[in-house]
Amino acid sequence: MPGRSPQGAERTAAALSDPEGRSAAEETPRRAPGTTGTAPGAATAAATATATATATATDAPSPGRAPGTGPGTIRRATRRVRLTAAVLAVLAAGAVILAVLNSGTRHGHLDPRSADPTGSRAVAELLKERGVTTRVVTTAREAADATGPRTTLLVTEPDLLGATQRSVIRSAIDLSGGRTVLLAPGDTSLSDLSPGVRTEGDATTDDLDPRCTLPAAGSAGRAGTGGGLRYGTAVPGATACYPSGGHPTLLVLPTGTTGGDTVLLGSETILLNESLAEEGNASLALQLLGSRPDLVWYLPSLADSDAGTGSGAEDKTFMELVPAGWSWALLQLFLAAVLAALWRARRLGPLVTEKLPVVIRASETTEGRARLYRKAGARDRAATVLRAATRERLAALVGVPPTRAHEPAALVPAVSARLTGGPRDVTALLFGTTPSDDAALVALADHLDALEREVRTS
């Protein structure tokens, strides 16, 4: 093309094509077939294409491939997915293992083996330190067989017992000669287990004063015997303690056998882990359950209940029936799923590799870009990129650091020292104003090419 050197054409083609000869500007349409010759202003188009080549050579994506869709990127994405799945699997396995390990130490309400807030492991450990042996039974027959003069029998839920089981426990109370503690018995069980005693409604206050002569109550002082049932009785020799509204929440009744007694405790609060350390609860619990060296802790099972009994028991929801260990496992899995969802939501999904429909030659891309520049009248953009690219190449030739290639004070003297021809305004050529028309732009491109060629050959 007139006015252009072979070296400039070679730089243009090299900047626009990859090592395989494919175009970097993948969105530019191909030139229509059959177009021959040179259109008016072709010199301007070619010069503008040089600017386009310089601008796109540094920031265009790899030809023939969408950004971020190479084999390495796909492998990294696959590894991340596998790592995520592995982490979730480890979390799930850990949660299940923890639930299984903890399931053996969580036995439920009022269980002396349970460390839950509503369990009774704390009082059982304190009794053990004082030499009291605790034995857990789940049937009325086992409880009756284990009783004796040296035994305290604790019935945790008397109202769950069927008629047959209540009869067995009543016989044990009359014949054992030991102590029997009935925890919050209602009218359903009182008629068989403790005749002559009736309920008087609920106590409105949780912590009460003893107000009786019972030594255990006197040494314990104020305790959490309220919040449950109150009792009334006319049985001779009964000791009434911790009254609420004129009715006791703790009754001690003598039995027919010498040395034996029956304790009616209207509230379970003093036996729970969560409230044992409050007021005098621990002292009262230890004295009521630790008066004999052996303690039989009777937790009634479903087999001990009649179909028509259990009026005092509340219906439990599904979540209350799920063991505590499994609840924690489900919670951990839910949190892990939420965190994984938040992490993955930041991405736009996996990358998809797509092949370009056509391969465009570098020369065609040059001409197409040039027409676009010419149509838009972007002489300022073309001139800026032409000068910037020339300054960078000249800086490398004259030994100016790349960081100072665009500083007139550093570049102009070094370039001028390499010129052998007549005087020229290097500053205006490399840092001048925008050309006023297409002819001036073509002239600028020619002068820059000549300047670079002279410096390179000097």
Side-chain angles (χ1 to χ4, degrees):
M1 185 174 295
R4 303 295 295 165
S5 68
Q7 294 175 348
E10 292 173 359
R11 286 195 298 271
T12 301
L16 282 171
S17 61
D18 64 1
E20 298 177 1
R22 294 178 298 181
S23 171
E26 55 194 61
E27 74 279 9
T28 304
R30 300 185 63 179
R31 185 176 61 180
T35 302
T36 57
T38 303
T44 303
T48 309
T50 305
T52 306
T54 308
T56 58
T58 57
D59 58 4
S62 176
R65 181 179 299 164
T69 59
T73 304
I74 297 176
R75 286 195 296 270
R76 288 192 295 271
T78 303
R79 285 196 297 267
R80 283 196 293 268
V81 172
R82 291 177 179 175
L83 178 61
T84 303
V87 171
L88 292 178
V90 171
L91 289 176
V96 172
I97 292 174
L98 288 177
V100 172
L101 293 178
N102 292 334
S103 62
T105 60
R106 298 178 181 271
H107 299 278
H109 187 62
L110 287 173
D111 195 311
R113 299 162 296 185
S114 174
D116 292 344
T118 57
S120 300
R121 182 176 178 179
V123 68
E125 292 295 330
L126 292 176
L127 289 170
K128 181 179 180 181
E129 294 177 358
R130 286 159 176 77
V132 178
T133 302
T134 301
R135 176 185 175 186
V136 179
V137 297
T138 57
T139 65
R141 179 53 56 190
E142 287 179 322
D145 293 342
T147 57
R150 295 169 52 83
T151 301
T152 298
L153 172 62
L154 171 63
V155 183
T156 57
E157 297 191 61
D159 289 348
L160 290 181
L161 301 180
T164 303
Q165 287 72 30
R166 290 196 297 267
S167 177
V168 173
I169 296 299
R170 180 60 194 178
S171 298
I173 293 175
D174 293 336
L175 301 175
S176 67
R179 167 170 286 182
T180 302
V181 179
L182 303 178
L183 193 57
D187 291 329
T188 303
S189 56
L190 281 176
S191 58
D192 293 330
L193 299 180
S194 186
V197 181
R198 63 189 181 279
T199 60
E200 297 291 348
D202 295 333
T204 57
T205 305
D206 292 338
D207 297 329
L208 302 171
D209 295 319
R211 299 181 184 178
C212 66
T213 59
L214 184 68
S219 61
R222 189 175 180 84
T225 60
L229 295 175
R230 301 180 300 169
Y231 301 102
T233 182
V235 176
T239 303
C241 298
Y242 296 98
S244 173
H247 298 284
T249 58
L250 174 63
L251 270 179
V252 180
L253 307 172
T255 59
T257 305
T258 303
D261 59 12
T262 300
V263 178
L264 306 182
L265 186 58
S267 174
E268 62 191 21
T269 304
I270 67 171
L271 302 181
L272 301 179
N273 293 331
E274 62 183 359
S275 56
L276 185 65
E278 299 175 0
E279 300 291 347
N281 294 349
S283 176
L284 183 60
L286 292 177
Q287 294 183 79
L288 292 179
L289 301 181
S291 60
R292 272 78 171 170
D294 296 319
L295 171 62
V296 178
W297 200 295
Y298 178 27
L299 297 172
S301 61
L302 293 178
D304 277 4
S305 301
D306 284 346
T309 62
S311 59
E314 298 180 356
D315 293 336
K316 294 185 177 181
T317 63
F318 173 75
M319 294 305 299
E320 291 175 341
L321 296 175
V322 177
W326 290 101
S327 300
W328 280 108
L330 293 176
L331 178 60
Q332 293 179 44
L333 289 176
F334 174 75
L335 292 178
V338 170
L339 292 176
L342 292 176
W343 170 53
R344 296 300 298 174
R346 298 178 58 190
R347 302 184 61 85
L348 300 178
L351 301 175
V352 179
T353 303
E354 295 183 358
K355 295 183 178 180
L356 290 178
V358 294
V359 177
I360 304 174
R361 299 178 64 85
S363 60
E364 297 179 2
T365 304
T366 301
E367 295 180 10
R369 281 295 185 91
R371 291 192 186 97
L372 291 176
Y373 268 62
R374 185 173 183 272
K375 183 177 181 180
R379 287 187 297 272
D380 53 346
R381 169 67 177 171
T384 300
V385 177
L386 276 171
R387 284 170 169 156
T390 303
R391 289 196 297 265
E392 293 175 358
R393 293 192 294 268
L394 289 175
L397 293 174
V398 299
V400 174
T403 55
R404 305 190 63 187
H406 304 289
E407 299 179 7
L411 182 63
V412 171
V415 172
S416 300
R418 300 285 293 271
L419 299 179
T420 58
R424 272 171 290 179
D425 190 354
V426 178
T427 304
L429 185 59
L430 294 177
F431 299 94
T433 59
T434 301
S436 58
D437 52 24
D438 290 350
L441 179 61
V442 173
L444 174 63
D446 292 338
H447 292 318
L448 290 174
D449 191 33
L451 175 64
E452 181 179 350
R453 185 170 58 253
E454 183 175 353
V455 172
R456 188 181 300 274
T457 59
S458 62

